[in-house]
Amino acid sequence: MSASGRSETADDLLAALLDGMDAALCAFDADGVITHWNREAERILGWTAAEAVGRHGFAGWAARAADAEDVQRRLMSAQDAPGRQVHEFALVTKDGGRVLVRTQSARVPGADGRPAGVYCAFSEVHTQIDLERSIALSEALLDDASWGVVLVDVDLRPAVVNAHAARAFGAGRTVLLGRPLGELLTQGVEELEGAIQHVLAEGAPPPPAELWVSVKTPEGVRRRCWRSGFLRLASPLGEEPVPLGVAWLFQDITEARQTELDTAQLRFRANQLHRAARAAAECEDPAEAVAVRLDFSLAGFADHALVDLTVGDRLVRSATSPPGLTSTGGLPARYEAGHPAFQALDRVGSVRVSAPARLPSGWPDGVAHGLCTVLRSRGRTLGVLTFLRAPSRPPFERPDAVYAEEIAARVAADLSLAGVTAD
């Protein structure tokens, strides 16, 4: 290819690059004559490249006469200054209107290193302000927001994490990047990943949802409730929107929701005690009233209930719920020394045990959590009331022990009426 052919190809390539830019661009030679003018500049001001190239500055066409000299001086001053210069000008459109533009100009060095002209990129000020607002919003969300912000990529791994989210996860921002969500959460990860995949596939964000999650932290696993919203991030550079990931925004509402749950639980348990009392009042036999109270006590609380009465230094099985769970009728409970039931007798209080390596003897198979509390009436210890939960249920906590003690007091009163005495 000849030198002239290569030059024409280079000029065509340069023209294509300039016309493909999203920003308006023009260039001036060392004398202030316009040498380049791209399509975005034409879109903003209306003047075509044929009308602009070759003119000396903006005087007489793209700037008011009163402004033209100042505009030209400030633009061309970039030849003598290092780096870029930023200015705002009011320019004139081809149809006679005015548009405020923000310019960034810098010198163009020649082959000898001396200034050979100036290039100037410009955009409408309101467009620039919109861009700056978007950037400022992103920075504020990622740095100063009072809620967690996590940008999750299409592989469902955190790509950006703000400071609030990092504190919620109990880890540094960089430590969380690129890790599967399953490494950060022990519970709730399936619901979270499902919501993110829905947004990636459908685009339409679901309404904000409350997700209960268990977070792995250096201090241990923490149960949290996060009110979460999701937005799909799509690239504006493709002909069709290409998903870049999902923005996940969340707030910790654990305390408020836990308070609501605790209140609802207290209300339900109080109602159960009331219903049990009314049903027990209709029983002629106090022993039947015991069975009624045990049945009511299990709802939403435990899977099994056992009543063991003290006979000498032993505990004898008296009642169970559901009925027939274990043998009753005066047979000794198969409890070894140190069993939680004996611990409760020694303490005259409640004892909780969770997921023991070896289940205490005398309990049914398939239970993982136990709560033993004493049966006391008229200053005497009559026996032990035990509640048991399956592995699918959470361990017993202190509020559960308080509820169990309330049930035990009423069961003990029924047993006292039935003539049970402490041996």
Side-chain angles (χ1 to χ4, degrees):
M1 181 182 291
S2 65
S4 61
R6 287 194 297 270
S7 177
E8 291 174 359
T9 301
D11 289 344
D12 292 341
L13 176 59
L14 177 59
L17 290 173
L18 293 178
D19 284 339
M21 295 179 63
D22 291 331
L25 187 138
C26 63
F28 303 84
D29 63 16
D31 297 323
V33 175
I34 295 176
T35 60
H36 296 82
W37 187 268
N38 73 348
R39 288 183 181 176
E40 184 64 11
E42 177 182 341
R43 186 194 67 79
I44 293 176
L45 296 178
W47 302 96
T48 66
E51 294 169 317
V53 173
R55 290 181 181 263
H56 189 276
F58 292 141
W61 62 291
R64 294 193 313 168
D67 300 333
E69 183 178 350
D70 180 61
V71 169
Q72 190 72 0
R73 177 184 58 80
R74 292 165 70 184
L75 284 176
M76 298 307 296
S77 67
Q79 287 191 109
D80 305 317
R84 293 180 298 174
Q85 291 189 332
V86 179
H87 302 287
E88 289 185 4
F89 304 122
L91 297 181
V92 177
T93 63
K94 187 175 182 178
D95 60 8
R98 298 183 70 199
V99 59
L100 185 62
V101 300
R102 178 172 295 177
T103 67
Q104 296 185 50
S105 55
R107 64 183 175 184
V108 177
D112 57 0
R114 292 163 52 180
V118 170
Y119 77 83
C120 171
F122 63 92
S123 60
E124 297 175 81
V125 166
H126 71 83
T127 301
Q128 183 73 17
I129 290 175
D130 287 345
L131 174 61
E132 292 179 2
R133 283 174 177 158
S134 296
I135 294 173
L137 174 62
S138 298
E139 291 181 347
L141 285 174
L142 295 176
D143 291 330
D144 305 323
S146 58
W147 54 86
V149 180
V150 180
L151 304 188
V152 183
D153 64 21
V154 293
D155 295 322
L156 307 186
R157 297 170 184 256
V160 180
V161 179
N162 78 339
H164 188 96
R167 289 193 296 271
F169 279 101
R173 296 172 68 174
T174 57
V175 174
L176 300 171
L177 302 184
R179 297 176 60 186
L181 294 173
E183 292 184 5
L184 308 176
L185 305 174
T186 60
Q187 291 182 331
V189 67
E190 295 85 0
E191 293 82 355
L192 176 58
E193 289 183 342
I196 294 173
Q197 288 172 336
H198 168 80
V199 176
L200 281 173
E202 303 296 332
E210 295 178 7
L211 300 177
W212 281 94
V213 299
S214 294
V215 187
K216 297 179 182 178
T217 70
E219 294 76 27
V221 176
R222 294 186 302 170
R223 181 84 166 150
R224 312 304 297 168
C225 183
W226 289 342
R227 183 168 179 80
S228 302
F230 305 90
L231 296 171
R232 184 165 75 163
L233 305 177
S235 172
L237 303 180
E239 293 183 5
E240 296 183 3
V242 178
L244 297 177
V246 170
W248 168 32
L249 292 80
F250 65 89
Q251 282 185 309
D252 193 318
I253 56 172
T254 306
E255 292 186 7
R257 289 297 172 266
Q258 191 60 55
T259 298
E260 292 178 3
L261 291 174
D262 290 345
T263 301
Q265 185 183 76
L266 287 173
R267 188 183 301 116
F268 174 78
R269 290 179 175 180
N271 185 54
Q272 285 298 100
L273 290 172
H274 175 71
R275 293 176 61 200
R278 291 181 59 122
E282 300 301 320
C283 298
E284 296 183 4
D285 183 357
E288 182 184 353
V290 170
V292 167
R293 292 190 193 275
L294 293 182
D295 291 342
F296 274 97
S297 70
L298 292 184
F301 181 63
D303 296 293
H304 310 298
L306 313 174
V307 173
D308 300 313
L309 302 180
T310 56
V311 178
D313 57 358
R314 297 179 303 168
L315 285 171
V316 174
R317 183 66 40 83
S318 173
T320 68
S321 185
L325 178 68
T326 64
S327 299
T328 58
L331 294 177
R334 295 180 294 106
Y335 292 158
E336 299 174 351
H339 190 281
F342 288 128
Q343 294 180 36
L345 287 176
D346 293 339
R347 298 179 186 180
V348 193
S350 298
V351 173
R352 289 172 282 149
V353 58
S354 295
R358 187 175 70 87
L359 292 175
S361 60
W363 285 354
D365 295 334
V367 300
H369 314 292
L371 169 58
C372 299
T373 188
V374 292
L375 295 165
R376 297 270 300 172
S377 178
R378 300 179 183 179
R380 298 171 300 166
T381 298
L382 305 181
V384 177
L385 173 60
T386 298
F387 291 103
L388 302 172
R389 286 177 176 173
S392 59
R393 289 178 177 264
F396 289 101
E397 298 180 353
R398 180 55 194 161
D400 298 323
V402 173
Y403 182 53
E405 290 165 3
E406 182 66 28
I407 297 170
R410 302 182 184 211
V411 169
D414 291 333
L415 290 172
S416 184
L417 285 175
V420 175
T421 59
D423 292 340

Short mmCIF file of all heavy atoms in Angstrom, two decimals, residues 235-258:
data_model
loop_
_atom_site.label_atom_id
_atom_site.label_comp_id
_atom_site.label_asym_id
_atom_site.label_seq_id
_atom_site.Cartn_x
_atom_site.Cartn_y
_atom_site.Cartn_z
N SER A 235 -25.71 -3.19 31.34
CA SER A 235 -24.74 -2.33 30.68
C SER A 235 -25.43 -1.43 29.66
O SER A 235 -26.21 -1.90 28.84
CB SER A 235 -23.67 -3.16 29.97
OG SER A 235 -22.84 -2.32 29.19
N PRO A 236 -25.16 -0.12 29.68
CA PRO A 236 -25.76 0.78 28.69
C PRO A 236 -24.99 0.78 27.37
O PRO A 236 -25.36 1.48 26.43
CB PRO A 236 -25.65 2.15 29.37
CG PRO A 236 -24.41 2.05 30.20
CD PRO A 236 -24.34 0.61 30.67
N LEU A 237 -23.91 0.01 27.27
CA LEU A 237 -23.05 0.07 26.10
C LEU A 237 -23.43 -0.93 25.01
O LEU A 237 -22.95 -0.82 23.89
CB LEU A 237 -21.58 -0.16 26.51
CG LEU A 237 -21.03 0.81 27.56
CD1 LEU A 237 -19.59 0.49 27.87
CD2 LEU A 237 -21.17 2.25 27.07
N GLY A 238 -24.25 -1.91 25.33
CA GLY A 238 -24.63 -2.90 24.34
C GLY A 238 -25.90 -2.50 23.61
O GLY A 238 -26.68 -1.66 24.09
N GLU A 239 -26.13 -3.08 22.42
CA GLU A 239 -27.36 -2.80 21.69
C GLU A 239 -28.56 -3.32 22.48
O GLU A 239 -29.63 -2.73 22.45
CB GLU A 239 -27.30 -3.45 20.31
CG GLU A 239 -26.25 -2.84 19.39
CD GLU A 239 -26.29 -3.46 18.01
OE1 GLU A 239 -27.18 -4.30 17.76
OE2 GLU A 239 -25.43 -3.10 17.19
N GLU A 240 -28.40 -4.43 23.15
CA GLU A 240 -29.40 -4.94 24.05
C GLU A 240 -28.80 -4.96 25.45
O GLU A 240 -27.61 -5.24 25.62
CB GLU A 240 -29.83 -6.36 23.67
CG GLU A 240 -30.52 -6.44 22.31
CD GLU A 240 -30.98 -7.84 22.00
OE1 GLU A 240 -30.81 -8.72 22.87
OE2 GLU A 240 -31.53 -8.05 20.90
N PRO A 241 -29.63 -4.63 26.47
CA PRO A 241 -29.09 -4.59 27.83
C PRO A 241 -28.46 -5.92 28.23
O PRO A 241 -29.08 -6.98 28.12
CB PRO A 241 -30.31 -4.28 28.70
CG PRO A 241 -31.27 -3.63 27.77
CD PRO A 241 -31.04 -4.26 26.42
N VAL A 242 -27.24 -5.88 28.67
CA VAL A 242 -26.52 -7.08 29.10
C VAL A 242 -26.43 -7.05 30.63
O VAL A 242 -25.90 -6.10 31.19
CB VAL A 242 -25.11 -7.14 28.50
CG1 VAL A 242 -24.36 -8.36 29.00
CG2 VAL A 242 -25.19 -7.14 26.98
N PRO A 243 -26.97 -8.07 31.33
CA PRO A 243 -26.92 -8.04 32.79
C PRO A 243 -25.47 -8.03 33.30
O PRO A 243 -24.65 -8.84 32.88
CB PRO A 243 -27.63 -9.33 33.20
CG PRO A 243 -28.45 -9.72 32.01
CD PRO A 243 -27.67 -9.26 30.82
N LEU A 244 -25.20 -7.09 34.17
CA LEU A 244 -23.89 -7.04 34.83
C LEU A 244 -23.95 -7.65 36.23
O LEU A 244 -22.92 -7.90 36.84
CB LEU A 244 -23.41 -5.59 34.94
CG LEU A 244 -23.15 -4.85 33.62
CD1 LEU A 244 -22.75 -3.42 33.91
CD2 LEU A 244 -22.08 -5.56 32.83
N GLY A 245 -25.16 -7.86 36.71
CA GLY A 245 -25.34 -8.37 38.06
C GLY A 245 -26.57 -7.76 38.69
O GLY A 245 -27.46 -7.24 38.00
N VAL A 246 -26.63 -7.81 39.99
CA VAL A 246 -27.78 -7.32 40.74
C VAL A 246 -27.30 -6.49 41.91
O VAL A 246 -26.33 -6.85 42.60
CB VAL A 246 -28.64 -8.51 41.26
CG1 VAL A 246 -29.71 -8.03 42.24
CG2 VAL A 246 -29.30 -9.23 40.09
N ALA A 247 -27.95 -5.36 42.13
CA ALA A 247 -27.70 -4.55 43.32
C ALA A 247 -28.65 -5.03 44.41
O ALA A 247 -29.87 -5.02 44.24
CB ALA A 247 -27.93 -3.08 43.02
N TRP A 248 -28.08 -5.46 45.51
CA TRP A 248 -28.85 -5.95 46.67
C TRP A 248 -28.70 -4.93 47.79
O TRP A 248 -27.61 -4.66 48.25
CB TRP A 248 -28.33 -7.33 47.08
CG TRP A 248 -28.83 -7.84 48.39
CD1 TRP A 248 -30.04 -7.61 48.98
CD2 TRP A 248 -28.11 -8.68 49.32
NE1 TRP A 248 -30.13 -8.25 50.19
CE2 TRP A 248 -28.96 -8.92 50.42
CE3 TRP A 248 -26.84 -9.25 49.29
CZ2 TRP A 248 -28.57 -9.68 51.51
CZ3 TRP A 248 -26.45 -10.03 50.37
CH2 TRP A 248 -27.30 -10.25 51.46
N LEU A 249 -29.82 -4.33 48.18
CA LEU A 249 -29.84 -3.34 49.25
C LEU A 249 -30.63 -3.93 50.42
O LEU A 249 -31.71 -4.49 50.22
CB LEU A 249 -30.49 -2.03 48.80
CG LEU A 249 -29.74 -1.19 47.77
CD1 LEU A 249 -29.96 -1.75 46.36
CD2 LEU A 249 -30.20 0.26 47.80
N PHE A 250 -30.10 -3.80 51.63
CA PHE A 250 -30.81 -4.39 52.77
C PHE A 250 -30.62 -3.55 54.03
O PHE A 250 -29.64 -2.82 54.18
CB PHE A 250 -30.35 -5.83 53.03
CG PHE A 250 -28.91 -5.98 53.44
CD1 PHE A 250 -28.55 -5.94 54.79
CD2 PHE A 250 -27.91 -6.17 52.51
CE1 PHE A 250 -27.23 -6.08 55.18
CE2 PHE A 250 -26.58 -6.32 52.88
CZ PHE A 250 -26.25 -6.28 54.22
N GLN A 251 -31.60 -3.66 54.91
CA GLN A 251 -31.56 -3.04 56.24
C GLN A 251 -31.80 -4.13 57.29
O GLN A 251 -32.60 -5.04 57.09
CB GLN A 251 -32.63 -1.96 56.38
CG GLN A 251 -32.28 -0.64 55.73
CD GLN A 251 -33.34 0.41 56.01
OE1 GLN A 251 -34.53 0.18 55.81
NE2 GLN A 251 -32.93 1.57 56.46
N ASP A 252 -31.11 -4.01 58.40
CA ASP A 252 -31.27 -4.97 59.49
C ASP A 252 -32.46 -4.56 60.35
O ASP A 252 -32.46 -3.48 60.96
CB ASP A 252 -29.99 -5.02 60.34
CG ASP A 252 -29.97 -6.20 61.30
OD1 ASP A 252 -31.02 -6.48 61.90
OD2 ASP A 252 -28.93 -6.85 61.43
N ILE A 253 -33.50 -5.40 60.37
CA ILE A 253 -34.69 -5.10 61.17
C ILE A 253 -34.91 -6.21 62.20
O ILE A 253 -36.04 -6.46 62.62
CB ILE A 253 -35.93 -4.95 60.27
CG1 ILE A 253 -36.14 -6.20 59.41
CG2 ILE A 253 -35.80 -3.73 59.38
CD1 ILE A 253 -37.46 -6.19 58.64
N THR A 254 -33.81 -6.85 62.60
CA THR A 254 -33.92 -8.01 63.49
C THR A 254 -34.62 -7.65 64.81
O THR A 254 -35.53 -8.38 65.25
CB THR A 254 -32.52 -8.58 63.79
OG1 THR A 254 -31.84 -8.84 62.57
CG2 THR A 254 -32.63 -9.85 64.60
N GLU A 255 -34.21 -6.57 65.45
CA GLU A 255 -34.76 -6.24 66.76
C GLU A 255 -36.26 -6.02 66.69
O GLU A 255 -37.02 -6.51 67.53
CB GLU A 255 -34.05 -5.01 67.33
CG GLU A 255 -32.59 -5.25 67.68
CD GLU A 255 -31.97 -4.06 68.38
OE1 GLU A 255 -32.71 -3.10 68.70
OE2 GLU A 255 -30.75 -4.08 68.60
N ALA A 256 -36.72 -5.27 65.66
CA ALA A 256 -38.15 -4.99 65.54
C ALA A 256 -38.93 -6.28 65.29
O ALA A 256 -39.97 -6.53 65.91
CB ALA A 256 -38.39 -3.99 64.42
N ARG A 257 -38.41 -7.12 64.37
CA ARG A 257 -39.13 -8.35 64.06
C ARG A 257 -39.07 -9.34 65.22
O ARG A 257 -40.05 -10.05 65.49
CB ARG A 257 -38.54 -9.00 62.80
CG ARG A 257 -38.85 -8.23 61.54
CD ARG A 257 -40.36 -8.19 61.28
NE ARG A 257 -40.68 -7.31 60.18
CZ ARG A 257 -41.01 -6.03 60.32
NH1 ARG A 257 -41.08 -5.50 61.54
NH2 ARG A 257 -41.30 -5.28 59.28
N GLN A 258 -37.95 -9.40 65.93
CA GLN A 258 -37.85 -10.31 67.07
C GLN A 258 -38.82 -9.88 68.17
O GLN A 258 -39.44 -10.73 68.83
CB GLN A 258 -36.42 -10.34 67.61
CG GLN A 258 -36.18 -11.47 68.61
CD GLN A 258 -36.42 -12.84 68.01
OE1 GLN A 258 -35.83 -13.19 66.99
NE2 GLN A 258 -37.28 -13.62 68.64
#
